[in-house]
Amino acid sequence: MKYISTRGQAPKQSFLEILLGGLASDGGLYLPETYPRFSGEDLMAMRGMDYRQLAFAILSRLTDDIPAADLQVLIDKTYTRATYSHGRVDSDFSHITPVRRLEAGLYLLELSNGPTLAFKDMAMQLLGNLFEYALERAGQDINILGATSGDTGSAAEYAMRGKHNVRVFMLSPEQGMTPFQQAQMYSLQDANIFNIAVRGVFDDCQDIVKAASNDLAFKQKYRLGAVNSINWARVAAQVIYYFKAYFAVTRDNGEKVSFSVPSGNFGNVCAGHIARMMGLPIHQLIVATNENDVLDEFFRTGVYRPRRSVETLHTSSPSMDISKASNFERFIFDLTGRNGERVAELWRAVDQGGSFDLRHGGLFDQVSAFGLVSGKSTHADRLATIRACWERYATLIDTHTADGLKVGLEHRVPGIPLVCLETALPAKFEDSIVEALGRRPERPAGLEDLEALPRRVEVMDADVQAIKAYIARHAND
Ligand SMILES: *Cc1c(COP(=O)(O)O)cnc(C)c1O
């Protein structure tokens, strides 16, 4: 299995070759040269598999440079019950990513039982083990530099903590994350995790990461890497739970299922698209956005018009507050019939701050053939949905999951099971739960006093030189 760039100019590479890199050399994103396809017989065999077996069945088709025995060890080490039972352990805890039935034909796919209570743990934990493995094989180490407004940074830190060949330098805005999210990151005491709270906003953090990474001499000298959402291994790992959920809610592979996905960078729903391309019988993939509706606009109108970051609204589903959807290019590549030249042309406009319009020439008409539809949810919608879900199903959901449920129900079709992806636990977004229900969500056991734990964080000005000097001082620790 080789990987090709969405812009058609970069050399083909293997899974491990693209693991530690970011963008392809032509500015594109990597995708499998062809999607491996599961036959009806394969699907029948997969129906009885547990999470690890499914992970192996899927990932072994997407890699050819990790020996099977090694891949099995990495999967077994990652997907343990202990790692993914943080949120709750109820009688229905059928191993990893259980499906909760809300009513006939309506389900919640629990993806947030990992260490940081958000779905990003599903892929990030595997990425941590893959990084360690690949670096060990190459005799290298890496310094991961990132900026976070919440979920990504903590998922990365919990995935990389204690890894001897990885250090993480994570910039976060001193104010702007929830107290829970701050405590989750800053209480980590591992020597290889460096929290830098920046006196500024998220965009300042991101600008500093860009400036440091664009300094190629600095980047090389200190072996800087990233774990952003365009990382192919993260997308690949997210394909697994679409299969797991499909088998959980159907009896027969002739049935179709729809998935509703709270979306920001289009990574999660992109994995659903890939699951479908690999043969999973998906009816619709429902892209749910919040007030930052770049994606909804595209799927309604055919116009993709990324916003400038100053136009991004701060909402009560903050992990979906994005101005451009970095994984969207992967879908457009498939939509154009894998025409790298066309994609490069479309993104020439995007990269210069422009937009593109696929209404002319028939491309937009093809979107429905891929089963993608969309909708949008507002603050009032998510509060109402949290309330309704609690009253009707005695199930407490977070704000992002509420966006997904609200939009999912708008597209629900009788006779086709609808699976809504739960992307975080309500404990991470307490204030919105209080606003919706007048009460605090329960904390998972062991996290009750998170905010009282000692903190390991360096507070710094939004000063590129000072932060580069800090990294230089600690990059070899
Ligand atoms: C990251 C995140 C999302 C958005 O996922 P994408 O893959 O970026 O589309 C949605 N909800 C939560 C809670 C998240 O952390």
Side-chain angles (χ1 to χ4, degrees):
M1 167 60 63
K2 288 281 184 257
Y3 287 83
I4 55 170
S5 165
T6 50
R7 299 196 191 172
Q9 297 298 316
K12 290 180 196 176
Q13 297 207 288
S14 73
F15 185 88
L16 283 180
E17 283 168 340
I18 61 173
L19 177 69
L20 298 171
L23 293 174
S25 58
D26 58 3
L29 279 65
Y30 278 106
L31 272 176
E33 187 168 25
T34 54
Y35 291 116
R37 215 174 151 84
F38 292 113
S39 66
E41 218 168 289
D42 292 333
L43 290 175
M44 214 118 79
M46 290 164 84
R47 182 165 279 280
M49 291 183 181
D50 67 16
Y51 201 92
R52 293 181 191 185
Q53 292 169 321
L54 276 177
F56 184 81
I58 293 162
L59 296 175
S60 61
R61 300 284 287 265
L62 294 170
T63 52
D64 61 7
D65 52 354
I66 303 179
D70 291 358
L71 183 62
Q72 189 71 63
V73 168
L74 290 167
I75 287 170
D76 290 352
K77 194 159 119 178
T78 303
Y79 295 111
T80 68
R81 204 167 160 128
T83 306
Y84 292 100
S85 62
H86 211 135
R88 52 224 142 167
V89 182
D90 55 32
S91 56
D92 192 31
F93 193 93
S94 60
H95 314 295
I96 294 176
T97 69
V99 164
R100 179 187 289 255
R101 181 181 177 279
L102 298 178
E103 63 178 40
L106 180 63
Y107 304 88
L108 197 65
L109 173 58
E110 294 185 12
L111 300 176
S112 308
N113 295 327
T116 74
L117 317 188
F119 86 100
K120 291 192 171 70
D121 291 328
M122 292 311 305
M124 203 70 94
Q125 290 283 321
L126 180 71
L127 198 69
N129 288 325
L130 281 168
F131 268 34
E132 186 178 49
Y133 171 81
L135 289 164
E136 221 153 71
R137 259 180 50 166
Q140 293 171 347
D141 67 344
I142 197 173
N143 291 300
I144 291 170
L145 175 61
T148 187
S149 57
D151 291 340
T152 309
S154 58
E157 290 187 353
Y158 280 75
M160 305 294 170
R161 61 189 295 199
K163 304 249 179 279
H164 67 89
N165 45 18
V166 182
R167 273 167 235 89
V168 178
F169 295 87
M170 191 57 68
L171 277 52
S172 51
E174 190 189 15
Q175 263 123 36
M177 297 190 295
T178 69
F180 183 92
Q181 287 175 314
Q182 282 186 349
Q184 211 173 29
M185 288 178 55
Y186 300 164
S187 63
L188 284 179
Q189 299 296 328
D190 305 76
N192 69 326
I193 304 295
F194 298 90
N195 282 304
I196 304 173
V198 175
R199 294 190 189 94
V201 295
F202 172 64
D203 285 331
D204 297 318
C205 300
Q206 213 162 23
D207 289 345
I208 294 167
V209 169
K210 270 191 207 144
S213 311
N214 288 342
D215 177 346
L216 291 184
F218 183 81
K219 185 177 176 186
Q220 246 170 11
K221 179 159 185 208
Y222 296 107
R223 303 169 305 285
L224 295 191
V227 287
N228 42 29
S229 79
I230 55 151
N231 184 289
W232 164 252
R234 279 181 67 184
V235 177
Q238 291 172 355
V239 171
I240 304 161
Y241 48 71
Y242 283 90
F243 280 83
K244 178 80 170 12
Y246 174 81
F247 294 124
V249 305
T250 58
R251 291 231 178 95
D252 178 292
N253 299 336
E255 293 175 56
K256 288 203 167 184
V257 169
S258 290
F259 291 91
S260 183
V261 189
S263 294
N265 269 318
F266 206 77
N268 204 0
V269 70
C270 184
H273 162 68
I274 287 158
R276 190 175 163 281
M277 300 303 275
M278 291 176 77
L280 193 68
I282 292 177
H283 175 61
Q284 281 183 328
L285 288 165
I286 302 160
V287 181
T289 74
N290 64 19
E291 291 89 337
N292 295 293
D293 58 353
V294 192
L295 288 167
D296 180 43
E297 182 174 80
F298 173 78
F299 287 104
R300 273 186 303 104
T301 66
V303 176
Y304 181 58
R305 187 176 58 86
R307 320 291 196 249
R308 287 173 300 137
S309 52
V310 294
E311 291 176 274
T312 309
L313 303 165
H314 292 279
T315 74
S316 47
S317 43
S319 300
M320 291 155 61
D321 291 347
I322 59 101
S323 40
K324 51 173 92 130
S326 43
N327 275 291
F328 187 55
E329 184 172 335
R330 288 194 158 109
F331 171 69
I332 295 296
F333 182 61
D334 285 341
L335 184 69
T336 62
R338 313 203 109 198
N339 182 340
E341 250 170 69
R342 186 76 204 277
V343 172
E345 182 190 308
L346 294 173
W347 258 268
R348 251 193 304 277
V350 167
D351 289 342
Q352 286 164 12
S355 61
F356 61 73
D357 180 347
L358 299 186
R359 278 173 302 186
H360 312 292
L363 264 191
F364 186 57
D365 300 334
Q366 312 270 314
V367 169
S368 59
F370 287 87
L372 278 116
V373 294
S374 75
K376 161 182 176 172
S377 164
T378 64
H379 182 69
D381 292 327
R382 68 186 72 95
L383 294 189
T385 307
I386 289 168
R387 248 178 254 128
C389 189
W390 176 247
E391 281 159 15
R392 257 178 243 158
Y393 312 122
T395 300
L396 193 56
I397 54 173
D398 92 295
T399 47
H400 307 76
T401 307
D403 289 332
L405 180 56
K406 185 258 177 188
V407 175
L409 289 172
E410 289 170 355
H411 290 278
R412 193 176 181 191
V413 178
I416 295 189
L418 173 63
V419 176
C420 296
L421 273 55
E422 174 209 63
T423 54
L425 289 194
K428 283 194 108 164
F429 303 96
E430 285 179 346
D431 290 351
S432 299
I433 304 301
V434 170
E435 197 181 340
L437 295 173
R439 64 194 269 290
R440 296 207 157 271
E442 259 175 57
R443 288 264 178 109
L447 298 178
E448 296 86 350
D449 299 318
L450 192 64
E451 285 93 331
L453 296 176
R455 296 191 173 195
R456 191 166 175 276
V457 57
E458 190 80 18
V459 182
M460 299 184 73
D461 285 333
D463 172 347
V464 182
Q465 291 315 324
I467 289 174
K468 279 163 83 174
Y470 178 88
I471 294 169
R473 272 203 306 284
H474 294 284
N476 298 313
D477 284 7

